[in-house]
Amino acid sequence: MGVSLSRAAQWTTARSGTGKLELTPLNTSLLNEILHFVEQFSSQHPQEAEHVFKEPLQWSTTLVASDFKTDYDISDSDVRSHEKDSEGRPLLQLSPPTVYVRSFSQLSKFVHLADDKKLEELRACLEENRRPIVNILGPSFATLLEKEGTHTDELSLIGKVEEDNQGKDSEVKVRLFLLLQNMDTQLLSKCLKEISEQVRLDPTAVKKEVELLRRFCNEGETRVLKSVRYTSDFEFSNGCHAPPWRQVHGEMCYLVIEPCDTETLYITCSTAGAFLNGGIKQDGEESGYEGTSIMYQDLVTLLNSRSPHFAENINKQDFAVQELPSTQKIQHVESVDAEEQGQPQRSCEQQEKNVHEKAGQQHTPNKAGGKKKYEPYTRWKNLGLVSPCGKAEGKNLSKSSGKEKSGEIQKKKLGAKSKMKAEFSVSSLPGRLSSQKIRNPAGAVPADVFSESSSESEEEEEQPERRPESNTDLPSEYWQIQKLVKYLKGGDQTATVLTLCAMMDFNLMQETCQLAIRDVGGLEVLINLLDTDEVKCKIGSLKILRKISHNVQIRRTIVDMGGLQSIVKILDSPDKDLKALAAETIANVARFRRARRTVRQHGGIKKLVKLLECVPNLANLTANQVKDVEVARCGALALWSCSKSTKNKEAIRKAEGIPLLGCLLKSPHESMLIPVVGTLQECASEESYRIAIQKEGMIKDLVKNLSSNNDELQMHCASAIFKCAEDEQTRVLVYKYKGLQPLVSLLSKADNKQLLAAATGAIWKCSISVENVAKLQEYKALDTLVGLLSHQPEEVLVNVVGALGEFAQIPANKATIRKCGGIKLLVNLLTGTNQALLVNVTKAVGACATDKDNMAIIDQLDGVRLVWSLLKNPSADVQSSAAWALCPCIENAKDAGEMVRSLVGGLELIVNLLKSANNEVLASICAAISKIAKDKENLAVLTDHGVVLLLAKLTNTTDDRLRRHLAEAISHCCMWGSNRASFGEAGAVASLVRYLKSKERPVHQSTAMALYQLSKDPNNCITMHEKGVVKPLIHFIGSEDEMLQEASAGCVRNIRLLALANTKARLFL
């Protein structure tokens, strides 16, 4: 009834109030045992049964006054027992719906009166009295007994109680306690026996079962389920999909399964089996975890009971002969926070013994079954959820210093333990873990604060830890550091500072040393030292955290423990050394999304921007100014890490960080410039930053630093120009400040791929301006770029090919690319899979194809077929770029008609792309059709594939770019058979007339040409006249564009001729 309730019973998680006992076979077995104990207690132990409880057991009962018989005073709905305690209070009192019981004798009678409701009453009693021993014996007595351990005999306990003046009935109390303790031991033994015989699920078993079920979600006769999916596709290193705060309940994943014959099932898979939950539809939901059904052995058993269609058809499939999920027996895990659960705490020696025994078992293969045993999830260990107890810690606690300051430091350090207990409460249950949900140290935060940019990726995915196979593989430094951490936990102020200095003598950049600090609980101590008032201790702690935070696992643990909040607070410190160390530590920790979000939420961005205020450009700096410069450098480093978040970029801008960064950009020190330029190039992806960089005059400084001797600085400057040169004004400024020559000179550093990618990217964007292309040619940039088309990573090739596409807009450069062998290299790149690269390659090939000599080489290398095949690419950008490239290829090919017909299925593919929802794809395909339709045979094939109706359906568009090429395609498609009449019947004519209201001159030209061709059909002329086409066409006849003039005049002429013919016909009639 005491320890068994916390260790063995399975409880639900309650968001408010107390949890409930789950409806599991194990809990039912426990309740039956406790019920038997209570029923027999009065007859077997009459003296102990009369003992009056310290506090009554009280709960909500379903019994009413009529259920009670003799020995009770009944008044209306209230009931009182005849038996009373020394103060005259009844030992049983019913005040509906609450009942109060003060002795085992009355509890036993109450259970007998409950009859068939006795099990429900006992359940309610235990749920509302989670620590019954405290109610029965009192908290002070229970604590006194717990201090004596579990093996103290009755006489010694009685003697101890009498010494502490606990009363005359101390002997009865002790015997009662021993009876309850013995009952607990029996309950635990029984539970362990049952659990050891149960077959439990593990993540691997569940994953295999899900994979097998997914095979039967196909369409057809073999379909038994519609779909099977996880609520979250993210998989932790231990194979679970459930978040860590639910994994501690033994839950592994949540599934949404759609049967063919019933409503959608929301299922939880745990180590105990599978059950229906309250409806968890996606990861992150805070409700629905509670079970709504009984526990099933596995998923198939659950589905058999819920879906008749599944049960009927699954036996017909080959499911039975498939590889079945492996199951294994999981031993009971004993890891419980005794103080929180109200039970005697085991000694540290016993806990350490259990930990070492389990560690040995985890590395020993299961000889009987040959199946793998899974270790507890590593992050639980990191957070202190499963941790051994250090013997030295308890000894050191009793030797605290009498000094005020050292006492404060020690209190702060020891606060790590209490802090972890406040945030995490862990209980070992049979085959599963349970705990309270992990609290957010920052409190409740609005949901929108947690959203990040969709383009922002998580730099560090969950990484499995590399652990030595045994303790013998660990170097001596590991054990030496662990000893130092133990001294750190219990020492006074002087010892703490000396210990921190000793720890810094080790190579803290070595992973073994980093993990040694974490494994023994050193991170908690270091983080809590940050909350002391001793500057030396803070500096020592930050120096260590700054180094070990290079480790991915450790920086995640720092955030999990709430350490980042403490570091952000230090940014307000008046001590400059402290601020610099804190900022540099933030720079290391904030390399993943959650850490960056935490910095922003706690005001860290404003504080970091404030650190940038200094005077870095003076010739002679005072010692204080030197410190200011170092603080600013560290602040820039931290902002660089934080700027990978879109919301943080906006926060930096709002905090007036851009002018300060511009000021620091003039610094002569490379160590300052690298983080500053790094931050700027990271933020330059936002248009607001690009505009600000121009206005603050930073382009000049970026160009200046391109000539630096530091490759990293050059790379960041080039990258910043790459992003900023999207804007025309930036390209003008780069030209003005003579930045093109340094960029071309960087192309010689081909060994540094990151620098090369940044330089080629900057050249690509700068070459969008024609005047920049001419200047770049003076530095022989084109020849160098062609030479980079082979044996380079894709990020370099994308930029190189993009630049060549811009260079090829000038006719003279097309010949240069051909002479340098660039055509063949470009065609070879058409077989790649990188979408960005394919977009740029097709653009470059299309630009080069406008030269007939180049086109001959492209055709010879089968380049047209390769470009055409890219129309099948799933990317709309690749499709449109390929279609645009086909236009000059078809126009300049020697025998274009035959070339197109030789591509099997090519024309059908072109026509089908007219069904695309992307306007850019539609415009490019229409442009390609206008070139293809110049060949009569190809036009006939296009017509057979239904090109007329598809083009007619597009005429309602308002996109002028699409209108232009659509009208042009219609004008060429009118040249075959009855296509003119078909366009009219499909309603294309009336829509084309509206195109004449467009403000774009090219739209007018192509529309006039289309109307001219369509006007050769009499019915179309009538429609045009009705829609008022004559007036705008007469206006266009006066245009300076000859093609527009002729087409407009021709259309008006055809309409007039039809009108004259009608007049003559009426006259002769």
Side-chain angles (χ1 to χ4, degrees):
M1 291 173 62
V3 181
S4 58
L5 288 180
S6 58
R7 285 198 186 180
Q10 296 172 331
W11 296 87
T12 62
T13 302
R15 302 194 180 282
S16 61
T18 57
K20 303 293 184 182
L21 284 166
E22 293 183 354
L23 297 173
T24 61
L26 183 63
N27 280 352
T28 303
S29 176
L30 279 174
L31 289 173
N32 284 323
E33 289 292 327
I34 295 173
L35 181 62
H36 178 73
F37 173 78
V38 172
E39 287 177 327
Q40 304 297 323
F41 195 88
S42 292
S43 59
Q44 294 181 0
H45 311 286
Q47 189 176 2
E48 288 79 6
E50 298 301 327
H51 173 74
V52 179
F53 297 164
K54 185 74 174 179
E55 294 291 338
L57 296 173
Q58 62 183 69
W59 68 94
S60 297
T61 179
T62 57
L63 270 62
V64 295
S66 59
D67 294 320
F68 291 83
K69 301 175 184 178
T70 58
D71 299 331
Y72 297 97
D73 292 328
I74 302 175
S75 174
D76 294 329
S77 59
D78 290 349
V79 177
R80 294 172 179 267
S81 66
H82 292 162
E83 296 180 6
K84 293 181 172 55
D85 62 9
S86 59
E87 298 178 7
R89 293 175 296 188
L91 297 183
L92 185 146
Q93 180 180 350
L94 173 64
S95 298
T98 306
V99 63
Y100 303 86
V101 179
R102 294 181 178 274
S103 71
F104 266 109
S105 63
Q106 289 296 329
L107 184 62
S108 180
K109 290 178 182 179
F110 183 87
V111 167
H112 282 96
L113 289 172
D115 198 15
D116 57 342
K117 299 179 182 178
K118 59 179 67 176
L119 212 57
E120 287 75 9
E121 291 294 330
L122 181 61
R123 177 187 293 273
C125 175
L126 294 177
E127 286 176 347
E128 296 187 35
N129 300 274
R130 292 285 289 267
R131 300 183 65 189
I133 293 180
V134 177
N135 291 66
I136 295 169
L137 299 171
S140 60
F141 186 84
T143 303
L144 183 62
L145 293 180
E146 288 169 5
K147 288 181 180 178
E148 294 296 327
T150 57
H151 303 293
T152 309
D153 58 33
E154 182 178 350
L155 292 176
S156 61
L157 281 174
I158 293 173
K160 182 67 176 177
V161 171
E162 289 177 346
E163 289 176 11
D164 293 337
N165 299 319
Q166 291 294 326
K168 299 178 181 179
D169 59 347
S170 58
E171 184 177 347
V172 176
K173 282 188 177 182
V174 171
R175 289 204 304 271
L176 180 57
F177 173 77
L178 293 176
L179 287 171
L180 294 173
Q181 187 183 63
N182 183 53
M183 176 60 182
D184 260 343
T185 304
Q186 292 177 11
L187 289 175
L188 288 173
S189 299
K190 181 178 177 64
C191 290
L192 288 173
K193 184 178 179 181
E194 289 185 10
I195 292 162
S196 63
E197 295 172 356
Q198 291 179 7
V199 176
R200 319 291 283 182
L201 294 177
D202 59 47
T204 305
V206 173
K207 186 176 182 180
K208 288 182 179 179
E209 195 168 12
V210 171
E211 289 173 354
L212 290 175
L213 289 173
R214 280 178 169 173
R215 297 181 188 178
F216 300 105
C217 295
N218 57 325
E219 298 289 342
E221 297 179 356
T222 60
R223 186 182 193 186
V224 295
L225 294 170
K226 289 183 181 179
S227 67
V228 178
R229 66 178 177 86
Y230 292 103
T231 58
S232 171
D233 291 328
F234 180 78
E235 183 176 317
F236 290 91
S237 58
N238 62 349
C240 294
H241 291 257
W245 54 88
R246 297 306 302 178
Q247 288 182 35
V248 296
H249 292 266
E251 295 173 6
M252 296 178 287
C253 66
Y254 309 104
L255 299 171
V256 180
I257 297 181
E258 293 186 63
C260 295
D261 55 341
T262 63
E263 60 186 13
T264 303
L265 303 176
Y266 302 98
I267 299 173
T268 298
C269 294
S270 70
T271 55
F275 60 89
L276 296 179
N277 58 51
I280 304 173
K281 301 178 182 179
Q282 61 185 12
D283 184 32
E285 289 192 358
E286 295 297 328
S287 61
Y289 290 112
E290 303 296 340
T292 59
S293 73
I294 63 171
M295 188 75 67
Y296 294 88
Q297 181 179 356
D298 50 35
L299 281 171
V300 175
T301 307
L302 188 154
L303 290 170
N304 274 329
S305 68
R306 294 286 172 170
S307 171
H309 176 80
F310 180 87
E312 179 182 352
N313 290 277
I314 197 65
N315 294 327
K316 299 177 183 178
Q317 309 295 335
D318 297 331
F319 192 88
V321 297
Q322 299 276 2
E323 179 186 358
L324 293 176
S326 61
T327 57
Q328 67 183 39
K329 294 182 179 180
I330 299 180
Q331 295 182 353
H332 177 59
V333 182
E334 290 191 338
S335 172
V336 61
D337 190 333
E339 294 180 10
E340 297 227 0
Q341 298 298 336
Q343 66 185 55
Q345 175 136 10
R346 294 175 296 166
S347 65
C348 294
E349 291 83 354
Q350 183 65 29
Q351 290 188 31
E352 287 186 344
K353 181 180 178 182
N354 289 344
V355 170
H356 291 309
E357 286 176 356
K358 289 173 189 172
Q361 292 170 1
Q362 288 165 358
H363 295 295
T364 305
N366 187 345
K367 296 179 181 179
K371 296 172 184 173
K372 179 181 177 182
K373 289 188 177 181
Y374 290 86
E375 294 185 25
Y377 182 36
T378 53
R379 187 173 289 178
W380 299 347
K381 296 179 181 177
N382 301 349
L383 301 180
L385 293 176
V386 180
S387 62
C389 176
K391 289 185 286 185
E393 184 175 354
K395 295 178 182 178
N396 289 333
L397 295 182
S398 62
K399 300 178 181 179
S400 58
S401 170
K403 296 181 181 180
E404 182 179 350
K405 289 186 178 180
S406 62
E408 179 194 353
I409 294 172
Q410 191 174 16
K411 181 179 178 181
K412 291 287 186 180
K413 290 186 290 182
L414 297 178
K417 184 175 179 181
S418 61
K419 181 178 179 181
M420 295 304 295
K421 282 188 177 180
E423 294 184 7
F424 305 98
S425 171
V426 180
S427 299
S428 287
L429 300 181
R432 64 187 287 181
L433 296 171
S434 71
S435 82
Q436 297 176 352
K437 182 179 176 183
I438 300 174
R439 297 191 312 176
N440 181 3
V445 182
D448 62 334
V449 178
F450 291 90
S451 63
E452 292 288 348
S453 168
S454 59
S455 63
E456 181 188 355
S457 61
E458 184 77 1
E459 289 83 357
E460 300 167 356
E461 297 297 336
E462 195 72 30
Q463 298 181 8
E465 290 192 67
R466 299 185 299 276
R467 285 296 204 175
E469 290 298 323
S470 65
N471 291 341
T472 57
D473 297 335
L474 296 171
S476 59
E477 290 88 348
Y478 183 89
W479 307 111
Q480 291 171 8
I481 286 179
Q482 290 208 342
K483 288 180 181 178
L484 288 174
V485 172
K486 289 183 179 180
Y487 291 132
L488 194 63
K489 288 181 178 180
D492 58 13
Q493 178 187 352
T494 305
T496 299
V497 174
L498 291 175
T499 304
L500 291 171
C501 294
M503 290 176 68
M504 284 187 284
D505 289 337
F506 289 90
N507 181 12
L508 296 179
M509 299 300 291
Q510 185 180 348
E511 187 179 26
T512 303
C513 296
Q514 295 167 349
L515 296 180
I517 294 174
R518 188 199 66 182
D519 291 349
V520 79
L523 275 179
E524 295 96 317
V525 181
L526 290 172
I527 289 171
N528 280 273
L529 279 174
L530 301 178
D531 295 327
T532 66
D533 294 329
E534 288 300 319
V535 174
K536 290 182 180 179
C537 293
K538 287 183 179 180
I539 289 176
S541 176
L542 283 172
K543 283 185 176 180
I544 294 172
L545 288 172
R546 177 185 60 178
K547 290 187 177 182
I548 65 176
S549 57
H550 286 279
N551 183 288
V552 175
Q553 300 292 338
I554 284 183
R555 57 176 165 251
R556 287 184 176 275
T557 307
I558 289 172
V559 176
D560 292 335
M561 290 177 175
L564 197 51
Q565 291 91 312
S566 299
I567 299 173
V568 169
K569 288 180 183 177
I570 293 177
L571 295 175
D572 292 325
S573 170
D575 190 284
K576 294 178 181 179
D577 292 332
L578 265 180
K579 289 195 287 189
L581 286 169
E584 196 168 354
T585 306
I586 291 173
N588 292 337
V589 176
R591 294 185 183 177
F592 63 101
R593 186 182 304 169
R594 185 156 51 91
R596 294 192 290 269
R597 186 172 61 215
T598 301
V599 174
R600 182 179 71 249
Q601 289 170 359
H602 292 84
I605 299 298
K606 289 183 179 179
K607 296 177 182 180
L608 289 170
V609 168
K610 193 174 180 181
L611 298 185
L612 302 181
E613 298 175 359
C614 68
V615 282
N617 303 320
L618 297 180
N620 298 316
L621 297 176
T622 65
N624 197 38
Q625 289 173 334
V626 170
K627 285 188 177 182
D628 287 337
V629 172
E630 177 62 15
V631 169
R633 184 190 72 83
C634 295
L637 275 173
L639 288 174
W640 187 8
S641 294
C642 293
S643 63
K644 290 179 174 61
S645 161
T646 303
K647 288 196 173 183
N648 284 356
K649 292 174 187 176
E650 182 63 17
I652 294 171
R653 188 186 66 80
K654 288 182 177 179
E656 304 294 334
I658 300 177
L660 293 174
L661 290 169
C663 180
L664 294 177
L665 192 57
K666 301 181 185 297
S667 171
H669 306 291
E670 290 179 352
S671 60
M672 172 70 80
L673 289 171
I674 289 174
V676 169
V677 179
T679 305
L680 288 173
Q681 67 89 14
E682 196 68 55
C683 295
S685 57
E686 302 294 320
E687 185 179 2
S688 59
Y689 271 87
R690 295 197 294 269
I691 295 172
I693 288 172
Q694 292 172 16
K695 291 183 177 178
E696 294 291 336
M698 298 187 207
I699 299 297
K700 182 177 182 180
D701 294 312
L702 291 173
V703 168
K704 175 185 174 183
N705 287 314
L706 285 174
S707 303
S708 167
N709 294 324
N710 187 299
D711 287 356
E712 186 179 2
L713 179 57
Q714 289 177 322
M715 177 192 71
H716 292 310
C717 288
S719 182
I721 292 173
F722 172 28
K723 293 178 180 178
C724 291
E726 291 277 357
D727 305 317
E728 183 179 0
Q729 183 61 31
T730 299
R731 297 195 292 269
V732 172
L733 292 173
V734 173
Y735 181 91
K736 177 182 177 181
Y737 295 124
K738 300 180 180 180
L740 298 177
Q741 186 174 6
L743 286 173
V744 174
S745 65
L746 293 180
L747 299 180
S748 60
K749 299 184 178 183
D751 293 336
N752 189 331
K753 301 304 179 185
Q754 288 184 319
L755 176 58
L756 188 60
T760 51
I763 290 173
W764 170 23
K765 296 302 180 182
C766 288
S767 62
I768 296 175
S769 299
V770 178
E771 57 273 16
N772 284 349
V773 173
K775 197 69 177 177
L776 287 167
Q777 260 307 84
E778 294 180 13
Y779 305 130
K780 305 296 181 184
L782 184 55
D783 302 54
T784 308
L785 288 171
V786 173
L788 294 173
L789 283 174
S790 58
H791 306 99
Q792 296 296 337
E794 287 184 341
E795 56 268 23
V796 174
L797 289 173
V798 169
N799 298 337
V800 170
V801 175
L804 289 177
E806 300 299 335
F807 272 77
Q809 302 300 319
I810 299 177
N813 291 338
K814 300 173 187 177
T816 304
I817 293 173
R818 181 179 69 251
K819 292 174 183 178
C820 294
I823 303 297
K824 183 178 181 180
L825 294 173
L826 286 172
V827 171
N828 290 341
L829 293 176
L830 289 170
T831 58
T833 57
N834 185 300
Q835 293 182 351
L837 178 58
L838 290 174
V839 169
N840 286 355
V841 171
T842 48
K843 182 179 179 181
V845 169
C848 292
T850 55
D851 182 280
K852 291 189 178 295
D853 293 333
N854 287 350
M855 183 58 220
I857 299 174
I858 293 171
D859 192 13
Q860 183 182 357
L861 295 171
D862 208 15
V864 178
R865 182 185 62 81
L866 292 174
V867 173
W868 207 296
S869 66
L870 293 177
L871 295 175
K872 300 177 183 178
N873 194 287
S875 168
D877 292 335
V878 176
Q879 289 175 351
S880 61
S881 184
W884 288 122
L886 285 175
C887 295
C889 290
I890 296 170
E891 192 171 10
N892 293 285
K894 188 175 182 181
D895 189 356
E898 184 61 34
M899 178 189 71
V900 171
R901 285 191 293 277
S902 68
L903 301 171
V904 179
L907 292 175
E908 183 180 4
L909 177 60
I910 282 279
V911 173
N912 285 335
L913 282 174
L914 288 173
K915 301 173 185 177
S916 173
N918 186 289
N919 280 351
E920 186 65 21
V921 173
L922 292 172
S924 60
I925 292 297
C926 288
I929 288 174
S930 66
K931 305 297 181 185
I932 296 170
K934 292 179 179 180
D935 183 271
K936 292 295 180 67
E937 293 184 34
N938 290 339
L939 177 55
V941 176
L942 288 173
T943 303
D944 291 341
H945 286 305
V947 72
V948 173
L949 288 177
L950 289 172
L951 288 174
K953 287 181 179 179
L954 298 176
T955 53
N956 289 322
T957 182
T958 56
D959 186 297
D960 280 340
R961 184 175 170 85
L962 176 55
R963 281 178 166 183
R964 172 190 174 185
H965 296 288
L966 174 59
E968 189 176 355
I970 290 174
S971 69
H972 285 93
C973 289
C974 287
M975 305 294 187
W976 180 258
S978 60
N979 284 357
R980 293 186 180 91
S982 299
F983 277 121
E985 293 169 1
V989 176
S991 299
L992 284 171
V993 172
R994 292 196 295 270
Y995 290 10
L996 297 177
K997 297 179 181 179
S998 171
K999 297 180 180 180
E1000 297 294 326
R1001 181 57 61 87
V1003 176
H1004 298 159
Q1005 185 189 88
S1006 60
T1007 303
M1009 293 174 63
L1011 291 173
Y1012 168 65
Q1013 292 296 332
L1014 290 169
S1015 67
K1016 295 180 181 180
D1017 179 82
N1019 292 325
N1020 290 343
C1021 286
I1022 296 171
T1023 304
M1024 291 178 196
H1025 190 270
E1026 290 175 350
K1027 297 298 179 181
V1029 76
V1030 175
K1031 186 176 180 179
L1033 286 179
I1034 291 175
H1035 173 73
F1036 290 140
I1037 290 174
S1039 171
E1040 296 178 356
D1041 187 331
E1042 293 184 2
M1043 292 184 66
L1044 178 57
Q1045 279 182 342
E1046 292 179 4
S1048 300
C1051 183
V1052 172
R1053 177 179 179 274
N1054 289 336
I1055 294 172
R1056 184 59 185 157
L1057 287 174
L1058 179 62
L1060 290 172
N1062 285 337
T1063 303
K1064 289 179 180 179
R1066 283 198 301 270
L1067 289 174
F1068 286 106
L1069 288 175

